[in-house]
Amino acid sequence: MRRTAADPEIGDWLERTAPLALQCQQCGECAAVCPSQRHGGIRPAELMARVAAGAGWPNEDSLWLCARCMSCSERCPSGADPGEVIALLRERAAGRGQLPAYLREEAQRFFKTGLSFPRTGMTRKLRKELGLPVGEISEKALTECSEIVRRTGLGRFVRE
Amino acid sequence: MSDAFYLFSGCLIPTRLPFLEASSRFVLDRLGVAYEDLPDAACCVEPIGLRTMARDTWLVSAARMLAIAEEGDRDIITLCNGCYMSLREAAHSLEDRIVRRRVNAILGAIGREYRGKTAVHHLPGLLSEREEAVRAAVVRPIALPLVSHPGCHMLRPSGVLGLDASFRPEVVDRIASWAGATTVRAEEWPSCCGGGLSGIHEELSAKLLDGPARSHLTSGGRAILTPCPFCFVQFDIKQKGGLPVLYLAELMALAMGAAPERIGLQHHRNKLSL
């Protein structure tokens, strides 16, 4: 990794949002344990080195190739928590409109229904067959969740 | 805190895999655990995608659920690795007083407050603490060789969850042994099933799944045993030509005398012969 003068925007982001990234010693342990990298997905060690050096923002598409298995953070000997740094970089990318369509739909579903997965006709049929409670999300829960979304970051991704 | 619990089933289990909920309720009933459904529950917030889009939405939403449990003076039982990690990580973050104040400022707008009094138990953790009761409830030992797959978010981040180790985890295996099963372990460090990439990048998700699917197939186990509904979906629906999968509560319910159709075992795509 070529060390260049830190991009001031990255420097500011590191200081305010992800100071733990600066603890990265570039040992490569995260790369060794990452199942996504093994199959051509995200490259956590390269990403950490690049960001911590302030060399440039990572490719925004690659950020969504992390399966969040947390192996990298578990194995990181420096407390740099690559998994959490990737999560924070995702949040930044999402704010710039760079996010998978699937997650935009999921955000909308959470806002409208209080759930990440849809209830379907099959849900109702199976629950009845198994003698389970209907299990609808209550009006109160829905009202409260929508209000939280409006007041927090996910509000950027939903339509009323 | 009272002896009774609130059951928090999450999203994926109640909507798409209600049979896993049926087996969990059967096991809790047989153990004489007092519980009712967490009132006004919603998504935990899903910790792979949604949490990484908006950390504050996740934290406040999870805190809301914890606050509801506090109002009822009960601890929470989770059935899903994702819900477990989500709520436990949130409770951990909320130990910071500044973070808690910020979260409570938003919760206040919906008439709630989080004070940090509720504990969150994952079903495997609850079972592992009740060996005597679990053993006593087993009426039909299931002497199957199984390959255990705890799933990432029952284990990691281990510093916060503290339920089992990332390297050579043993909680799922131990519980299975009380049901009469033998377990083999294909991997020292349980690998990711690729569930977190499902819907986002199907090709990469399938490649990740292929690793554990192949090693489980040659492990000597006749079925995969997991406490996680995301892993369950990967192995039961996405995996092609691999071993069938059992959810941990299904194994325990069968051992505790549940008729297979009563807990919906017929709804597995990859059928298991007992």
Side-chain angles (χ1 to χ4, degrees):
Chain A
M1 175 59 60
R2 186 168 57 94
R3 246 192 127 84
T4 57
D7 175 328
E9 195 199 339
I10 300 179
D12 187 55
W13 181 83
L14 284 167
E15 196 178 314
R16 285 169 192 264
T17 310
L20 33 78
L22 295 167
Q23 295 181 47
C24 174
Q25 302 294 315
Q26 302 179 25
C27 69
E29 191 69 30
C30 50
V33 76
C34 176
S36 177
Q37 169 154 352
R38 203 170 305 141
H39 296 288
I42 195 168
R43 303 177 69 83
E46 281 183 26
L47 179 149
M48 289 295 285
R50 188 171 165 78
V51 171
W57 296 105
N59 175 309
E60 288 173 334
D61 288 339
S62 89
L63 291 173
W64 303 98
L65 302 182
C66 162
R68 256 180 99 61
C69 74
M70 315 297 285
S71 294
C72 57
S73 296
E74 190 83 4
R75 289 283 277 269
C76 175
S78 317
D81 203 345
E84 188 61 18
V85 174
I86 291 164
L88 293 167
L89 284 163
R90 278 184 174 191
E91 190 161 344
R92 177 183 175 274
R96 295 155 49 84
Q98 302 292 317
L99 76 161
Y102 176 84
L103 292 180
R104 205 181 276 280
E105 284 165 26
E106 191 182 324
Q108 187 70 19
R109 190 179 306 121
F110 176 63
F111 179 61
K112 290 286 185 194
T113 70
L115 293 168
S116 285
F117 294 91
R119 283 177 65 91
T120 63
M122 184 56 75
T123 305
R124 282 181 280 277
K125 182 172 164 281
L126 273 182
R127 295 191 69 82
K128 193 173 171 196
E129 177 194 317
L130 294 162
L132 295 168
V134 178
E136 300 275 3
I137 299 292
S138 73
E139 278 302 319
K140 187 175 169 68
L142 204 49
T143 308
E144 293 184 1
C145 285
S146 318
E147 190 55 31
I148 289 171
V149 170
R150 281 188 202 99
R151 288 170 181 264
T152 53
L154 213 61
R156 289 182 293 185
F157 308 107
V158 301
R159 311 175 302 275
E160 289 285 342
Chain B
M1 199 62 60
S2 84
D3 289 339
F5 294 88
Y6 280 132
L7 179 64
F8 176 56
S9 305
C11 287
L12 180 58
I13 288 181
T15 61
R16 213 170 149 192
L17 308 165
F19 43 101
L20 303 189
E21 185 181 326
S23 64
S24 304
R25 290 178 188 267
F26 186 93
V27 169
L28 291 171
D29 290 342
R30 283 299 156 103
L31 291 175
V33 174
Y35 67 93
E36 53 187 70
D37 293 331
L38 180 68
D40 299 315
C43 176
C44 66
V45 152
E46 181 272 294
I48 314 285
L50 292 188
R51 178 201 189 276
T52 61
M53 288 163 66
R55 197 177 191 283
D56 59 348
T57 306
W58 156 72
L59 190 53
V60 179
S61 302
R64 172 185 162 274
M65 232 92 71
L66 297 169
I68 293 171
E70 277 180 0
E71 285 167 30
D73 193 30
R74 294 181 184 212
D75 284 355
I76 291 175
I77 300 172
T78 57
L79 303 182
C80 166
N81 281 11
C83 297
Y84 178 62
M85 177 177 78
S86 203
L87 297 183
R88 285 295 304 273
E89 274 207 303
H92 178 74
S93 295
L94 290 161
E95 284 170 17
D96 183 312
R97 286 171 57 192
I98 297 167
V99 172
R100 189 184 296 190
R101 204 176 308 135
R102 210 182 305 139
V103 166
N104 273 332
I106 302 172
L107 284 182
I110 57 167
R112 307 255 184 212
E113 184 191 1
Y114 174 73
R115 289 162 300 164
K117 295 219 171 80
T118 285
V120 179
H121 310 263
H122 198 17
L123 184 62
L126 188 93
L127 295 176
S128 77
E129 288 165 9
R130 296 173 184 230
E131 176 174 358
E132 209 175 311
V134 172
R135 283 182 183 277
V138 169
V139 293
R140 186 178 64 191
I142 308 290
L144 269 179
L146 301 170
V147 51
S148 73
H149 185 92
C152 299
H153 302 140
M154 171 175 160
L155 312 176
R156 301 187 279 267
S158 60
V160 172
L161 304 182
L163 174 51
D164 204 345
S166 259
F167 186 66
R168 293 188 187 167
E170 52 87 33
V171 169
V172 168
D173 303 66
R174 190 150 42 88
I175 297 167
S177 76
W178 303 338
T182 50
T183 52
V184 291
R185 184 176 298 110
E187 307 161 310
E188 300 290 281
W189 182 280
S191 58
C192 174
C193 69
L197 289 167
S198 180
I200 296 173
H201 199 298
E202 295 297 347
E203 194 188 332
L204 188 58
S205 175
K207 284 181 181 168
L208 262 64
L209 171 62
D210 199 45
R214 275 172 193 266
S215 60
H216 291 341
L217 190 57
T218 54
S219 65
R222 291 225 349 249
I224 299 162
L225 180 65
T226 186
C228 176
F230 287 89
C231 300
F232 182 93
V233 167
Q234 288 290 94
F235 289 121
D236 192 47
I237 298 172
K238 301 283 180 72
Q239 177 188 230
K240 303 295 173 220
L243 292 178
V245 57
L246 264 181
Y247 177 65
L248 179 63
E250 289 182 318
L251 171 70
M252 303 317 288
L254 290 168
M256 292 176 185
E261 64 279 7
R262 158 79 177 75
I263 55 167
L265 222 60
Q266 66 276 19
H267 296 298
H268 287 217
R269 303 277 179 92
N270 191 350
K271 307 291 184 209
L272 170 77
S273 49
L274 288 168

